[in-house]
């Protein structure tokens, strides 16, 4: 039973080690995305994935070498990890829930407004230092250069990404022949210079947040699957750990007193 329990725990640790790979991969996917250029939501996910990887590796080694206390530490830490991952998922749904674009009449793309997003996201994106980093990333990704050659017909018939809609053009409602004081403040910030465009517009920041919201929703679904799997593994691991601890309290090499056969024959006479 002891051998079976340690084998089971080792197998479960191997599973959790494999579970950490898609979590880390999801964070790396967000970090390397040339469309979002944001980095403050995937970092906790990557840290959590690496922690799961290291703890699972430690638990796997503990199971292979029959280190019971290491397995106990593994189960305790796994409980905290499940709680942290669940809290992160709930937090992601709360802060990334509000948002979404508004339809533009006669267009296939949507436009985005900063006030539609959660205060926590707005506070982060409005930080000047942080926004300069994102702005440089968008410039380097050449996102806007992809629509430079569009014709007026393209603007009527083709779709845009949230960043293209918010950063690469003025708002559709802007009318530069009308008095500027009566229009959206973003209309003042637009400039035809490729290094300026609408990168300082609130609509550009909203486009970045929309990408964050979409990516985080996808990762939250992955997190839910991971949480359910980790809970199942944790419950089975607790049972296997109890079996291993019980087996350790009854060592197989215990000596028992046995009545010798010669005493049986001699004692009867």
């Amino acid at each position: 039973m002891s051998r079976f329990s340690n084998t089971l725990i080792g197998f479960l640790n191997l599973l959790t080690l494999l579970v950490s790979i898609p979590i880390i991969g999801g964070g790396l996917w967000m970090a390397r995305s040339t469309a979002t250029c944001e980095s403050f939501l995937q970092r906790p996910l990557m840290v959590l994935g690496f922690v799961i990887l290291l703890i699972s590796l430690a638990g796997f080694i503990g199971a292979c070498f029959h280190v019971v206390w290491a397995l106990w530490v593994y189960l305790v830490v796994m409980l905290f990890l499940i709680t942290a991952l669940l809290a992160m998922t709930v937090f992601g749904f709360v802060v990334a829930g509000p948002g979404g674009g508004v339809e533009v009449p006669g267009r296939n793309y949507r436009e985005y407004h900063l006030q539609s997003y959660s205060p926590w996201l707005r506070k982060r994106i409005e930080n000047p230092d942080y926004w300069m980093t994102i702005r440089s990333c968008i410039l380097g990704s050449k996102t806007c250069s992809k629509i430079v050659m569009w014709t007026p017909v393209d603007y009527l018939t083709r779709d845009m990404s949230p960043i293209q809609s918010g950063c690469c053009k003025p708002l559709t409602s802007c009318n530069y022949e009308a008095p500027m004081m009566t229009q959206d403040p973003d209309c003042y910030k637009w400039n035809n210079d490729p290094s300026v465009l609408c990168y300082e517009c609130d609509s550009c920041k909203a486009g970045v947040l929309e990408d964050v919201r979409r990516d985080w929703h996808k990762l939250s679904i992955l997190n839910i699957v991971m949480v359910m799997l980790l809970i199942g593994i944790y419950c089975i691991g607790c049972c296997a750990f109890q079996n291993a601890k019980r087996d350790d309290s009854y060592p197989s090499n215990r000596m028992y007193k046995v009545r010798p056969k010669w005493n049986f024959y001699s004692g009867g006479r």
Side-chain angles (χ1 to χ4, degrees):
M1 179 64 72
S2 177
R3 180 178 299 177
F4 172 76
S5 299
N6 282 284
T7 301
L8 181 58
I9 294 175
F11 177 72
L12 294 175
N13 289 328
L14 180 61
L15 282 181
T16 55
L17 189 148
L18 296 176
V19 162
S20 68
I21 295 176
I23 296 178
I24 297 173
L28 290 174
W29 170 67
M30 287 186 67
R32 292 182 174 274
S33 175
T34 58
T36 60
C37 288
E38 54 79 26
S39 60
F40 60 84
L41 280 179
Q42 77 274 8
R43 286 177 181 173
L45 189 68
M46 292 177 62
V47 170
L48 190 61
F50 278 112
V51 170
I52 293 177
L53 178 67
L54 294 176
I55 294 301
S56 300
L57 184 60
F60 183 78
I61 294 174
C64 292
F65 290 95
H66 306 280
V67 184
V68 178
W69 67 265
L71 299 178
W72 181 84
V73 172
Y74 161 77
L75 290 175
V76 172
V77 176
M78 278 298 297
L79 179 61
F80 284 103
L81 287 177
I82 292 172
T83 304
L85 188 58
L86 184 60
M88 183 183 299
T89 302
V90 173
F91 177 77
F93 275 117
V94 171
V95 301
V102 295
E103 294 183 354
V104 180
R107 304 290 195 276
N108 286 330
Y109 57 82
R110 291 173 172 262
E111 291 184 339
Y112 305 89
H113 302 284
L114 192 59
Q115 62 270 20
S116 301
Y117 297 87
S118 68
W120 188 85
L121 286 177
R122 293 203 307 267
K123 182 179 179 181
R124 293 300 301 265
I125 205 72
E126 289 175 342
N127 182 294
D129 295 334
Y130 189 78
W131 178 246
M132 286 302 297
T133 302
I134 297 179
R135 185 181 185 277
S136 299
C137 178
I138 297 174
L139 278 169
S141 67
K142 302 186 183 301
T143 301
C144 292
S145 64
K146 299 175 183 177
I147 65 173
V148 168
M149 303 304 295
W150 279 17
T151 65
V153 176
D154 291 327
Y155 280 95
L156 292 173
T157 59
R158 300 181 65 175
D159 194 9
M160 295 184 186
S161 69
I163 289 182
Q164 288 175 332
S165 175
C167 304
C168 306
K169 66 171 188 60
L171 293 174
T172 306
S173 61
C174 291
N175 183 359
Y176 292 100
E177 296 180 357
M180 296 296 291
M181 297 297 296
T182 62
Q183 302 190 55
D184 192 289
D186 278 354
C187 296
Y188 298 94
K189 302 175 183 178
W190 165 259
N191 192 301
N192 287 323
D193 187 342
S195 63
V196 179
L197 297 181
C198 213
Y199 292 128
E200 295 301 325
C201 298
D202 287 346
S203 61
C204 185
K205 298 174 182 178
V208 173
L209 292 185
E210 179 62 21
D211 265 2
V212 172
R213 190 181 74 91
R214 294 180 181 182
D215 290 342
W216 193 252
H217 279 178
K218 296 175 184 177
L219 289 177
S220 294
I221 295 174
L222 175 63
N223 287 350
I224 292 174
V225 175
M226 295 300 104
V227 166
M228 299 300 295
L229 183 59
L230 287 175
I231 290 175
I233 293 174
Y234 180 82
C235 293
I236 299 174
C238 287
C239 296
F241 174 75
Q242 290 297 328
N243 291 335
K245 186 171 64 173
R246 183 169 57 251
D247 292 341
D248 285 344
S249 63
Y250 295 98
S252 58
N253 60 349
R254 179 177 293 178
M255 298 180 62
Y256 296 92
K257 294 179 66 177
V258 180
R259 184 179 182 183
K261 292 184 178 181
W262 62 266
N263 191 33
F264 172 78
Y265 291 108
S266 62
R269 296 180 181 179

